[in-house]
Amino acid sequence: MREKLEWVPFFPDDAGGTPDGATRGEIPSKVDMPEFKAFSQDEDGNPAPVLPDRLAWLAGVRRNLAALVEDELAHGRAFLAAPVLIGSGAAFWFSLATDPPFPWVLGLMAAFVGLWLLVRHHFVIGPLMAGAALFLCGMGLADVETTRQATILLDRPVTTEISGRVVSVEPNKQGNQRYVIALEGTNRPMLSRMPQQVALLARGKGEPLLPGDGISGRARLSPPSGPALPGLNDFAFASFYDGIGAIGYFYTPPQRIAVTTRAKTLFETASDAFGEATENLRDTISNRIRALVPGDAGAFAVAIVTGERRGLSDQANSDLRVSGLAHIISISGLHMALAGGLCFVGLRRGFSLVPGLAERIATKKIAAAGAILTTTAYFLISGYDVAAQRSYLMMVILLSAALFDRPVFSLRNTAFAALLVICLSPSQVLGPSLQMSFAATFALIAGFDLWRRRPPMPGWLEGIAVPGVLKTFAKAVAASLMTSALGGFSTAIFSAAHFHRFGLHGLEANLMAAPIISMLVMPAGMIGMLLMPLGLDAWAIRLMGWGVQAVLWIGHLVAGWGNGLSFGRFDWWFLPVSTAGLLLLTLLKTRLRLLGVVLMVAAITHEATRPADPEPDLLVSEDGRFVALLERQVTGELIAIVNRRKPPSFLFNQWSSALDIAHSGQPVIVEKQARSEADRKSLPPERAEAEMRNAIVSAKANPTVFYCQLGEFCAMAVRDWLVVTVERRDFLSAACASAGLVIAAVPRPQAGCDTQRPVIDLESLRRGGSMEITLGDADKADFHLKATFSGENRPWIRHRYYDWRSRSFTLPEARQERASDAEDEGNDDDGSL
């Protein structure tokens, strides 16, 4: 039966008409009228429904939420969401398994823009339509950048003769040269898919070549490496968007050749000339600094002036990373802010020394223009690193605000800088550099804004007499502490997610090193750069070197206090959720920002309390040459028993960080028997089987240890499994006949390998990437394999499906697609291996 509702009407003096028994201006206490709903008076004096008690609190929450949102909009917070939504759309596009059709993305974006124009004044639907349009705009920008880049990634390792033009050169800590080369041709073999640019290391005492020189030599080229383990960083992704299609080394020092001339536009000619001039200037400055400040101190100084970071020793890099000071060697917002800020303050102070000048001209604007020129010059010699690009754009925007008498340090300016960076290079949203840089900037601005709005100090505390010098020192220390704390807190989640480690003593290290960098290193470096053309820079550069040496000493000292916390791989949603929480906490102004705390606490609590992922038994690199068995010790340490006498540090360091591996166990090296010249070229099957049988007998007698003939094969017995790794094709048939699991760094032959046994060959690794293997029942050949890639078809992965013999892509959907005409143009039938 329908419940009768009571009506409590309100009749003001000008109300027209009353129900029976009521006079104008009276409020009847109760009127039993079943056909009316319950009403009360709202804030404007109009009748409003009276909700049941169980729904009243929902209405209150809605009203409070609407008021908070209106307050955020009144403070201009809507604009801050633009870079977040565009960046989220770009990140979503990069995370998809296949490329979404661009016309669909463009059409949906246009549709949402049209809907927003129709409902833009609606309080809820309007922002939703705008947010969807911005999200799709980010997807479209990611597609445009990928199409524009179109880097050709090498499909397989190959040895060939290359010729091209030096784009840049950078020495490493051993004194060898690393060249970035724009390829113009290859020979013996000629590559059917020749990368546009390659990065090659030249060892030996050959004469270093300069940017713009022609270069030629025989080199080993390899595709950029993929993730070291499933879920780790994909270096091929970064190489694709950096324009580097292959990496490798020269067998002998490269030779200088005449540069092949071709028809160029005026813009291309000017761009090449400008790039070569700036690269030569970088080299000159770097060589000058290294001549005045030798060792790690000189390499550190070069890193923060010209961006060359390969000269630091492994020990110095490790100390800086563990102590939390590694960010200093990257030209970032700190260096740009110091360079621009020192120029800005210096010019204003200089103008103030001229009587009456500050009263006649806008010295602030002149100083801002001078600071923009200074940061531009700094950016030109910094090597155009991604972090330097982002920092330069941010500083130009902030200094431009001073030109137009706008607040310099504000969330709006920083959001505009983020929006510009993301629109120019959407691929950077997935990198830790952009994430950590803007997270720290947003946190610092929001934190100091809260500090300015702090409650006043108690009167009795303000009345305490404190010397001015002591008060100034206390403020400087407090500012450094607050800056380091905010920066460390805001970047902690990204450090843990990307690098699986977080330094516990970064606050102390930065507190000690920041004053040295701000008051000694950067000012001396700027003075040295200004005096270098006159040859009067020696004292300033040496002073800079003393400051850098002090920072290295601090890094070494703090690194000895402990390695900090190690983290495994997080769930895929941890970083997006915790990042959303951090953005809400830093970008919002009202109590709504506390929702960010809830999200961050929820994500961190889940990761801290969830059971640890089961550890795999075997780790396999994507080339199949490096394999490790994981063993948990009684002490709780995890060790890796490897099949290489000297594990490749690039891979093993990533494995150690992701899985918290304590150390590695070495293989037992089996001496090779004497062989004839013919056997060295092609070993008979019976001879290969006999040599492998001896190693297998030793492996079974001593389980969980690799017995290896270097460069040929390894055998290991573990839990009723016999695992054999093969690096020479002659031993593959013998391995297939004896082993329970074969991991081959060579292609599987058409015959001679028992297909009933598990064989992971080079082609499987090439398509699937690095793998994790969990061993099961050996009698049933039962094991679980987790590959890095499982059929994704993206531009930075597609080279894995290329077949050089047929010049086609065998895509995961089992479709054949011809290589593009642009990639095959001008090549003959000799393809890459």
Side-chain angles (χ1 to χ4, degrees):
M1 181 176 179
R2 185 176 179 181
E3 181 182 359
K4 292 184 178 182
L5 298 177
E6 295 182 343
W7 180 38
V8 184
F10 171 72
F11 303 106
D13 292 339
D14 59 349
T18 62
D20 295 341
T23 61
R24 187 180 299 271
E26 295 181 354
I27 304 177
S29 58
K30 287 187 178 180
V31 180
D32 187 10
M33 300 182 68
E35 300 300 323
F36 290 86
K37 294 184 179 180
F39 282 88
S40 67
Q41 179 185 4
D42 64 9
E43 295 177 355
D44 298 329
N46 299 318
V50 176
L51 297 175
D53 292 340
R54 63 180 180 274
L55 298 179
W57 71 274
L58 289 176
V61 169
R62 180 183 178 278
R63 287 193 299 271
N64 292 333
L65 184 61
L68 292 174
V69 172
E70 289 180 357
D71 195 12
E72 295 287 354
L73 295 176
H75 285 94
R77 272 2 189 209
F79 176 76
L80 304 184
V84 176
L85 291 169
I86 291 178
S88 299
F92 178 74
W93 190 91
F94 291 121
S95 66
L96 296 175
T98 58
D99 297 351
F102 182 71
W104 281 90
V105 175
L106 197 62
L108 283 174
M109 184 181 69
F112 277 108
V113 169
L115 291 173
W116 173 78
L117 291 174
L118 293 175
V119 298
R120 63 184 182 276
H121 298 300
H122 194 279
F123 183 72
V124 177
I125 301 178
L128 288 178
M129 295 300 103
L134 290 172
F135 186 88
L136 289 164
C137 178
M139 295 181 63
L141 289 171
D143 196 306
V144 169
E145 183 193 18
T146 304
T147 304
R148 184 184 71 246
Q149 198 68 31
T151 302
I152 298 175
L153 298 181
L154 189 68
D155 51 281
R156 297 169 186 265
V158 61
T159 298
T160 182
E161 292 182 358
I162 66 100
S163 60
R165 178 177 56 85
V166 176
V167 176
S168 66
V169 56
E170 182 178 345
N172 64 6
K173 54 183 176 293
Q174 288 86 15
N176 301 319
Q177 307 296 319
R178 178 183 181 270
Y179 294 101
V180 175
I181 303 168
L183 289 186
E184 296 178 354
T186 57
N187 191 25
R188 295 190 305 166
M190 181 179 289
L191 305 184
S192 62
R193 297 179 66 253
M194 185 179 72
Q196 297 97 331
Q197 289 187 341
V198 297
L200 300 178
L201 184 67
R203 303 185 181 94
K205 302 298 182 180
E207 178 187 2
L209 304 182
L210 300 177
D213 289 345
I215 188 171
S216 176
R218 191 155 187 84
R220 178 68 173 177
L221 304 182
S222 300
S225 57
L229 286 177
L232 298 189
N233 182 44
D234 188 356
F235 294 93
F237 177 87
S239 293
F240 179 90
Y241 288 98
D242 288 341
I244 305 297
I247 58 176
Y249 55 89
F250 286 104
Y251 284 103
T252 57
Q255 303 299 314
R256 180 184 283 108
I257 60 173
V259 180
T260 304
T261 59
R262 64 177 181 86
K264 294 182 180 180
T265 64
L266 179 62
F267 176 78
E268 289 177 332
T269 303
S271 177
D272 290 345
F274 182 77
E276 292 169 8
T278 54
E279 286 295 334
N280 286 324
L281 179 61
R282 288 183 67 217
D283 291 342
T284 302
I285 294 173
S286 299
N287 293 333
R288 174 64 173 170
I289 294 175
R290 278 191 288 263
L292 294 172
V293 184
D296 281 334
F300 197 129
V302 168
I304 61 178
V305 173
T306 64
E308 295 181 5
R309 291 179 286 173
R310 298 179 182 274
L312 275 172
S313 66
D314 292 336
Q315 182 62 47
N317 271 312
S318 176
D319 290 342
L320 293 173
R321 184 175 61 253
V322 173
S323 64
L325 295 176
H327 65 94
I328 297 178
I329 63 174
S330 173
I331 296 179
S332 58
L334 171 66
H335 307 83
M336 288 289 177
L338 289 173
L342 288 170
C343 179
F344 182 79
V345 173
L347 286 176
R348 291 201 72 182
R349 293 293 175 89
F351 288 141
S352 67
L353 297 178
V354 181
L357 183 62
E359 298 177 358
R360 293 185 178 90
I361 62 174
T363 58
K364 176 182 177 182
K365 296 183 179 182
I366 297 176
I372 290 176
L373 292 177
T374 301
T375 47
T376 301
Y378 188 19
F379 173 66
L380 292 178
I381 65 171
S382 67
Y384 311 112
D385 183 73
V386 173
Q389 294 176 27
R390 182 178 60 256
S391 304
Y392 170 71
L393 288 173
M394 185 182 300
M395 280 304 301
V396 168
I397 291 172
L398 297 180
L399 291 170
S400 298
L403 287 174
F404 296 98
D405 297 321
R406 305 295 298 174
V408 176
F409 294 102
S410 68
L411 289 175
R412 191 177 186 86
N413 289 345
T414 307
F416 183 71
L419 184 63
L420 187 60
V421 170
I422 293 172
C423 288
L424 292 175
S425 184
S427 60
Q428 298 304 318
V429 298
L430 297 184
S433 180
L434 182 141
Q435 295 171 5
M436 298 176 76
S437 176
F438 279 108
T441 305
F442 284 136
L444 288 171
I445 294 176
F448 278 98
D449 179 65
L450 286 175
W451 178 254
R452 284 195 300 266
R453 294 188 285 118
R454 69 189 184 278
M457 296 176 61
W460 63 269
L461 191 59
E462 290 183 347
I464 299 177
V466 179
V469 175
L470 184 59
K471 184 180 292 187
T472 301
F473 177 75
K475 287 182 177 180
V477 172
S480 297
L481 279 172
M482 186 173 178
T483 300
S484 299
L486 288 173
F489 167 76
S490 59
T491 58
I493 57 175
F494 303 102
S495 179
H498 289 290
F499 308 117
H500 311 284
R501 191 171 298 276
F502 176 69
L504 293 177
H505 304 288
L507 179 63
E508 302 96 301
N510 281 276
L511 183 60
M512 290 187 287
I516 300 175
I517 293 292
S518 303
M519 294 185 287
L520 179 60
V521 174
M522 290 301 296
M526 282 192 63
I527 295 172
M529 293 302 100
L530 294 174
L531 296 179
M532 191 172 288
L534 305 176
L536 305 174
D537 59 313
W539 68 271
I541 297 300
R542 291 194 176 98
L543 183 61
M544 181 187 184
W546 294 339
V548 166
Q549 189 65 53
V551 174
L552 288 172
W553 179 82
I554 291 171
H556 181 71
L557 174 68
V558 176
W561 297 350
N563 291 329
L565 299 177
S566 298
F567 301 91
R569 288 167 290 182
F570 297 130
D571 285 336
W572 67 269
W573 56 266
F574 168 78
L575 191 57
V577 171
S578 55
T579 302
L582 181 63
L583 290 172
L584 290 174
L585 181 61
T586 55
L587 298 184
L588 298 185
K589 194 176 186 68
T590 65
R591 287 176 294 171
L592 287 176
R593 65 175 179 265
L594 297 179
L595 293 175
V597 179
V598 174
L599 290 178
M600 295 179 68
V601 170
I604 295 172
T605 302
H606 170 78
E607 288 296 333
T609 57
R610 72 180 179 92
D613 294 330
E615 296 158 357
D617 294 310
L618 295 172
L619 307 179
V620 184
S621 66
E622 64 178 359
D623 63 356
R625 296 181 180 275
F626 184 40
V627 180
L629 170 71
L630 299 183
E631 285 285 316
R632 180 68 67 178
Q633 302 297 294
V634 178
T635 59
E637 289 185 334
L638 184 67
I639 66 169
I641 302 168
V642 299
N643 68 333
R644 302 289 287 271
R645 186 160 51 185
K646 186 178 180 181
S649 58
F650 178 74
L651 282 174
F652 190 69
N653 289 342
Q654 295 182 72
W655 290 4
S656 300
S657 298
L659 301 175
D660 196 18
I661 298 174
H663 60 275
S664 61
Q666 301 298 310
V668 176
I669 305 303
V670 178
E671 295 295 331
K672 297 179 183 179
Q673 301 178 10
R675 295 175 182 171
S676 63
E677 185 65 27
D679 288 347
R680 292 193 188 98
K681 294 181 179 178
S682 179
L683 198 64
E686 59 276 7
R687 177 72 178 274
E689 185 176 349
E691 291 187 13
M692 182 171 287
R693 188 183 306 114
N694 293 333
I696 290 174
V697 171
S698 300
K700 289 182 176 180
N702 187 16
T704 67
V705 175
F706 278 107
Y707 282 79
C708 302
Q709 285 189 189
L710 291 180
E712 295 182 339
F713 71 88
C714 294
M716 179 185 62
V718 52
R719 296 201 303 273
D720 298 329
W721 282 84
L722 178 61
V723 180
V724 175
T725 67
V726 178
E727 297 183 46
R728 180 174 174 178
R729 190 190 296 263
D730 295 336
F731 289 93
L732 186 56
S733 296
C736 291
S738 305
L741 174 63
V742 179
I743 302 171
V746 295
R748 184 191 300 191
Q750 298 294 329
C753 224
D754 186 358
T755 57
Q756 299 300 319
R757 296 181 181 275
V759 178
I760 301 173
D761 66 344
L762 183 61
E763 189 62 26
S764 302
L765 291 164
R766 178 171 171 259
R767 291 172 172 267
S770 57
M771 299 181 179
E772 299 176 6
I773 301 174
T774 303
L775 301 175
D777 190 343
D779 295 333
K780 299 179 180 179
D782 178 32
F783 69 97
H784 178 264
L785 187 149
K786 181 180 180 182
T788 299
F789 303 111
S790 55
E792 293 85 354
N793 179 19
R794 303 311 304 273
W796 53 91
I797 301 175
R798 200 167 294 142
H799 64 285
R800 295 176 176 271
Y801 309 123
Y802 184 75
D803 183 1
W804 66 273
R805 294 179 178 85
S806 63
R807 290 195 178 187
S808 62
F809 291 89
T810 306
L811 298 178
E813 296 81 7
R815 293 184 292 109
Q816 294 288 334
E817 293 188 3
R818 301 296 299 174
S820 65
D821 294 337
E823 292 179 350
D824 288 338
E825 184 177 357
N827 296 313
D828 62 14
D829 292 336
D830 294 326
S832 67
L833 298 178

